[in-house]
Every structure is written in structure tokens, then in C-alpha cells.
Amino acid sequence: MSKKKTMHFLVSGKVQGVWFRAGTQDQAKALGLTGWARNLPDGRVEVIASGEEQALQELHEWLQQGTELANVTEVFYEEVVWQEHERFGIK
């Protein structure tokens, strides 16, 4: 059985105004993850995602590419304390 955990991602590059948060939400929902995505004032997108380890790895891989219009330059990630969320939302 896969371990459940919560990951914190910070995605840099051209990731705002390119449907990145909506694409992240679609991917997370398809993978059965919960959490949220939001734009940061510095141009990055912040993502908190909770769920199965394998699904989190798949989301991480997707975040490195992003949407068709995005140009991802870096994805910082770290495991954080477990967070319970009802769904995956956009802030």
C-alpha cells in the first residue's frame, strides 16, 4: 500500500496567465489528489497536494512541463506535514 503524504511545490517560469493553475487542478483531480494551487506575487505558482505517493510523483512530473503555453524553468518541492483537504481548489 502506498504511503499518503503532502507535498509543497513552487513552480517558476512562465506559469501565470497560461492556464497553469486550472491545468494543475485537472491533473490533481485525475490523480485523486487534494489541495490547492495559487499564483504568488513574484510570478511563481505555489501548489499544496495531498494523497498517494505515486500520484504525487506523477503530479510532480506534470508540473515540470505544465500547460501547453507554460514555460517551466524550475520546480522546487518538499514534503510537509500532512494536510487534509476536501478537494483540489484554486486560490
Side-chain angles (χ1 to χ4, degrees), residues 72-91:
V72 176
T73 58
E74 183 181 18
V75 179
F76 167 84
Y77 64 98
E78 64 182 344
E79 185 173 354
V80 295
V81 175
W82 171 257
Q83 296 180 28
E84 192 75 40
H85 303 275
E86 288 186 21
R87 59 185 179 84
F88 196 96
I90 294 175
K91 290 188 170 190

Side-chain angles (χ1 to χ4, degrees), residues 2-42:
S2 183
K3 179 185 170 201
K4 286 192 171 190
K5 58 185 181 179
T6 299
M7 296 296 293
H8 176 230
F9 300 96
L10 292 170
V11 187
S12 301
K14 183 183 174 191
V15 292
Q16 291 190 11
V18 292
W19 298 96
F20 199 91
R21 290 176 301 158
T24 301
Q25 182 183 45
D26 290 345
Q27 290 296 317
K29 285 181 174 180
L31 293 167
L33 298 171
T34 62
W36 48 263
R38 69 176 171 188
N39 286 339
L40 295 176
D42 65 7

